Structures are given as structure tokens and as C-alpha cells.
Amino acid sequence: MNHRLIAAILGRLISFASLTLLIPFAYALSDSFAVFSSSGALGTAWTDSGLSAFAITIVISFGLGLVLISTGTKQHGMLPIAEGAVLLALFFFYMTALGMLPYYSSGRFDFLDAFLESVSGFTTTGMSVLPDDIPHAFVLWRSLTQWLGGLSILVALVTVLLPLGGAFGLVLPEGSRAPMSRQLASMGRLAFRVGLTYLMITGILLTIFLLAGANFFDSFNLALVVVSTGGTYNLMDPGLINRFFMSIALMVGMLVSSGNFLLYYEAVRRRSVTNLLRYAEFRAFLIIVITGGLLMGCSLWANGVYSPLHAMQRGLFEAISFATTTGISTAEYLPWPPFTRYCMLLLVFVGGCIGSSSGGMKVARIVIMCKAMLGELKKTLHPRAYIPVYLGSQPIVPATLNRIMGFFFLFVFVLFVGIALISLVSNLPLMEAFTLGVACLSSVAAAAKLAGASAIFSYYPPLLKLVCALLMLVGRLEIFAFFLLFGAMKEAIENERPGSKRHYGEQEAKARRLRELREARALSDSQSGSFLRKLMGGGKK
């Protein structure tokens, strides 16, 4: 394993993630001046504003990044799948540690709550333990962790997860299927495209929320949360999202954020934004969301919860919020009709489009499984018929279809194992345990409230918090990738052992190269140097 190459790439990633710490640090610095002017105590201003916590984190993070870069190598070329898996595991471990360090060093959280807050942020789940009186710098950092988590999963998707899992059922539509090469230069270009698109959409959402009437702090937090489909929205004005223009802006932002970011990049590059509707997955997603919203609105109206217009608006907003796994809402779901909450639970399972940061099983997988089921029904009538499965105009090969079916059953299996663990370590009723498991695995905390469970896990016992954290990580890494990740890491470690086949092959290749080099030098000394130059790559082409 090329440890120096992994160290160099990890160091660059850590340095970039550390830059985002400067934003809450600057906000805490401005708060510290306000606290000092009112109290006159420098120590109080240093700690109460959160300035000390972010200063400590910045020093540690930047220092670690520089050390890894200095000890790494600038080697270019191939990044093997096993080493990519190790890199991804190390990066997620570091991001979790980085996210919890400001919380824990502030003295306001214990170790486990800081850990859960960090995991929830970087997995864009939305569960939180932040109190109402927390300094705004920590609220800003919570939103930034969700933004970084969404960006990380998008970059990992196009660089590591697809080659690692053999696509594990992910079907990128035409126009976004850039060659998934393990070449570092190609991976860097793909990561740049996704990151640039992600940043552009964040800026556009920030502008839209400002125009909708929010102040800069709330607009910035909402932009970070919506683009990452995060769900936690600690705002200065909690009633902001219930305003009409803001709710429209949020619905548009959530729909855009659940689309394929690679498609957005191609649409902007080709200056053909209207072509987005040509892609079958996005059309199916809009149909599912609109249908679900209308059904929920009719249910709310028929049961007298809201007036007709308000019921349709609320039903469409909640359908978009749950289908995109964003989970932004201020409504109380328990008094709502059971059919409405049932629709919301189904939408959580569906999720957004492939190539987005949303959770769930993804629309493309759902559409392909439904078409495959209809195809099997037709085959019972016509056993010799060949009925291919298409996603739009794109044929789905049997290998991909098998992976999608495998993903579905693995998703259900992990969900029920998670529910069993939740029931084992807590006294939650069965339906609350079920919705909590769905919320953690699909990365939408609001789903836990559909049966009365709390999305604020500070009330949960320690073992339940750990189970929730595990389910968040498994769901965020697309389940297949989570297990394949450890398999690839195990293979990479075993290949490093002296007795392994790969190690033996590398030793043989190195010895052969040295032997050829010695023979070439001997021949060069006795006859001429032309053979040596040709062997080493010199001479004329």
C-alpha cells in the first residue's frame, strides 16, 4: 500500500476542510468583542463566544494537514480500489473527529453527545442536541458540517464509491456518466466538477433566501442545510420557513438539491438547462413528489386539518421535504391523519436522485425495480419473451439489475437489524423504534417524529445513541459501500503481509527489474550504450 500517497491526498482534504473552520471562527471573534464590551472580562469573552474552541480546532486541524502533506508524496497515476477505500475510511473518521472537537472543547457537551452531533452533521441526518442558548458560531458550524458532509458524499460517489462497489446498483444517466477512472487526474477533474456545481447552487440558494426576506445569517444557514439535504435549521427567526415566499423558495431549493449534480454541470456547460427534464429519473422524481403532495393535501383537507389551499401547500411542502430527505418543517405530525404520515414515510424510503446528497434508496432504483417486477409478470404469460428493462432510453444490464435487487434486500435486512438493536437497547415502542431506524438509515431525522419518537437524541440512553450513529454511517455510505469498504481495507492489509501473493508478486517484479538493469549495464559496458538507452526508455521513438 502506498502510504505516502494516501497521506498526501488526505492532507490536502484535511487542509480544505480546515478552511471552513475560519467561518465560525470569524463569527465567534465578532461575538467575543460584543461579550467583552458588555462584561469587560477577557476570559468570559474567550470562552462564552466559542472562540477558544474553534481556535484549538483550527490549530490541530491545520497542523495535522500540513504534517500529512509534508510526509506524503506528489505521485500521480493510479489509485487502487483498496487504497481508495482506506482513504475514504480515514477521511470520514477524521471528519467525525474534526466535527466533534469544537463541541467537546467548549465544555458544553460530553464526549458522546459531541460525537453524535458530529456524525449526524456529516451524514446530513439532522438529529441534534444543540440547546437554544448555544452561541451562533456553533449553529454556523453545525450547518457547515452538513454542507461538508453533502460535498464529501458527492465527491466520494464519483471518485471512490462507484469503482469500489462496481456501481452497486447506481445508474448514472446519459450526460453524467463521465469515465470512472482510478487515475488521480481524472478523479480530480470529477471532484472539481461536482464541487464547483455544489458551490454554485449554494450561492444561488443564498441569494434566493435573501430575496425572500431572510437576514444573512439565516439565509446562509438555510443555503448550507438545503443544498446538503441536511435537515437541521437552527435559525434566529424560527417562524421564517412558514412565510409564503420563503416556503416557495425552500421547495424550489430542496427540489434542485435532490437532483444529479453532474447533470447540472453538463447542463450549464452546454447551456441547455431545459434538457434536465429529458432524464427519466428526474421526471419520475417530480411525478412521485407532486402525486404524494396532492394526496397528502387532500387528506389534510378532507380531515379538516387545514383549509383547501393551505392543505395543498402544506402537503406539497412536506412531500418535497421528506422525499428529498431534507426534513425541514415546523409542523406537528402526530395529530395529522394516518394516511398523510404513511405517505411521508413512503417518500422517505424513495429519497432523491442518484448523484445528489439525499438519502433513501434513490428514485432510479425504485423505478428500475418496478419495471423489473412488471417484466416478470409479463414473462409468466410469455415465458420465452425477452423483456428488457429501461430507465428512459438507457437499457439496464442484468448485472446492474441484480445489484439493485441485492441492494434492496440488504437495505431491508439492515433496517430490521437496526430496529431490533434499537428495541434491545431502549424501551421505545415498536413503531417509534421503526421510524427511528428509518430516520437514521435514510438520513432524515424528521421521520422519527412520525410515530412520536424524538429527533433530539439528548434524551436517549448511550447505547441507543451508538446504534443510531452506526445506522447513520451505514445509510450514508449506501450500505453496500459500507461493507465493501471494510472488505477492501482487509484485502489491502492482507496484501501487505510478507507471505501474501501480491507481496510475493511485487518482490518478484522488483527483483526482475534489478536483474534486467544489471544485465543491461553489463552489456552496455562490453558493447555499446544504445541497448541500455532503449531498455530505459531512451533513444528514438
Side-chain angles (χ1 to χ4, degrees), residues 7-22 24-25 52-70 90-91 93-102 105 122 141 145 148:
I9 299 175
L10 186 62
R12 297 190 191 103
L13 294 174
I14 288 175
S15 300
F16 170 76
S18 302
L19 291 176
T20 58
L21 283 163
L22 297 177
F25 177 79
S52 60
F54 288 105
I56 293 171
T57 307
I58 287 174
V59 171
I60 294 175
S61 183
F62 268 114
L64 180 60
L66 293 176
V67 168
L68 289 175
I69 291 176
S70 62
L90 290 175
F91 181 66
F93 172 78
Y94 167 77
M95 293 295 283
T96 302
L98 171 68
M100 66 176 290
L101 192 56
S105 59
F122 283 112
W141 175 238
T145 57
L148 284 173

Side-chain angles (χ1 to χ4, degrees), residues 401-429:
L401 184 58
N402 291 336
R403 292 192 186 102
I404 291 174
M405 294 299 180
F407 174 85
F408 172 76
F409 286 109
L410 187 59
F411 185 96
V412 174
F413 174 77
V414 172
L415 174 61
F416 280 95
V417 170
I419 295 171
L421 291 176
I422 291 173
S423 302
L424 180 65
V425 301
S426 68
N427 293 322
L428 291 178

Side-chain angles (χ1 to χ4, degrees), residues 25-361:
F25 177 79
Y27 199 93
L29 184 63
S30 64
D31 279 353
S32 66
F33 286 120
V35 173
F36 179 73
S37 61
S38 61
S39 64
L42 184 60
T44 302
W46 175 256
T47 56
D48 287 359
S49 62
L51 187 61
S52 60
F54 288 105
I56 293 171
T57 307
I58 287 174
V59 171
I60 294 175
S61 183
F62 268 114
L64 180 60
L66 293 176
V67 168
L68 289 175
I69 291 176
S70 62
T71 58
T73 179
K74 296 182 179 179
Q75 174 184 347
H76 298 281
M78 298 289 292
L79 182 66
I81 291 179
E83 296 182 6
V86 173
L87 175 64
L88 182 61
L90 290 175
F91 181 66
F92 266 86
F93 172 78
Y94 167 77
M95 293 295 283
T96 302
L98 171 68
M100 66 176 290
L101 192 56
Y103 304 125
Y104 184 69
S105 59
S106 67
R108 300 172 181 268
F109 302 86
D110 59 27
F111 183 86
L112 188 57
D113 282 346
F115 172 74
L116 263 294
E117 189 73 25
S118 179
V119 171
S120 176
F122 283 112
T123 58
T124 68
T125 302
M127 291 186 176
S128 180
V129 295
L130 293 181
D132 295 333
D133 59 346
I134 195 75
H136 289 152
F138 291 97
V139 175
L140 193 57
W141 175 238
R142 183 60 166 81
S143 301
L144 281 168
T145 57
Q146 294 177 105
W147 187 83
L148 284 173
L151 177 60
S152 300
I153 199 64
L154 287 175
V155 172
L157 172 69
V158 299
T159 56
V160 178
L161 292 182
L162 278 172
L164 174 64
F168 46 87
L170 292 177
V171 182
L172 293 176
E174 299 289 345
S176 68
R177 291 186 297 169
M180 297 299 168
S181 172
R182 298 201 303 270
Q183 291 281 347
L184 293 179
S186 176
M187 294 171 66
R189 287 192 296 269
L190 287 172
F192 176 77
R193 292 178 186 178
V194 171
L196 181 62
T197 308
Y198 194 77
L199 187 62
M200 289 174 57
I201 293 179
T202 304
I204 293 172
L205 291 178
L206 172 62
T207 305
I208 292 175
F209 294 148
L210 285 172
L211 294 176
N215 57 48
F216 184 81
F217 181 83
D218 287 343
S219 299
F220 188 67
N221 276 281
L222 278 176
L224 297 177
V225 169
V226 170
V227 75
S228 62
T229 64
T232 302
Y233 55 96
N234 304 82
L235 304 175
M236 292 182 177
D237 185 4
L240 179 66
I241 64 174
N242 290 325
R243 300 175 187 173
F244 178 75
F245 289 108
M246 179 56 69
S247 64
I248 298 298
L250 284 171
M251 285 191 285
V252 173
M254 288 186 290
L255 282 174
V256 171
S257 301
S258 60
N260 190 321
F261 280 77
L262 283 173
L263 284 182
Y264 294 154
Y265 177 85
E266 292 296 326
V268 173
R269 187 176 67 86
R270 298 178 182 179
R271 299 180 182 179
S272 180
V273 180
T274 56
N275 287 337
L276 291 174
L277 295 177
R278 291 173 43 240
Y279 299 107
E281 184 186 20
F282 195 69
R283 293 200 309 269
F285 175 68
L286 292 179
I287 293 173
I288 291 173
V289 168
I290 293 174
T291 304
L294 293 177
L295 290 175
M296 291 165 58
C298 291
S299 176
L300 292 172
W301 173 37
N303 287 272
V305 181
Y306 298 110
S307 62
L309 185 60
H310 191 192
M312 293 301 170
Q313 184 268 338
R314 175 58 70 179
L316 189 60
F317 184 92
E318 300 300 335
I320 295 175
S321 179
F322 275 75
T324 60
T325 67
T326 306
I328 291 180
S329 179
T330 57
E332 292 294 335
Y333 308 130
L334 282 180
W336 284 11
F339 176 77
T340 306
R341 289 181 285 152
Y342 173 72
C343 290
M344 296 163 72
L345 187 62
L346 288 182
L347 291 173
V348 169
F349 277 106
V350 174
C353 298
I354 289 172
S356 70
S357 59
S358 58
M361 287 189 288

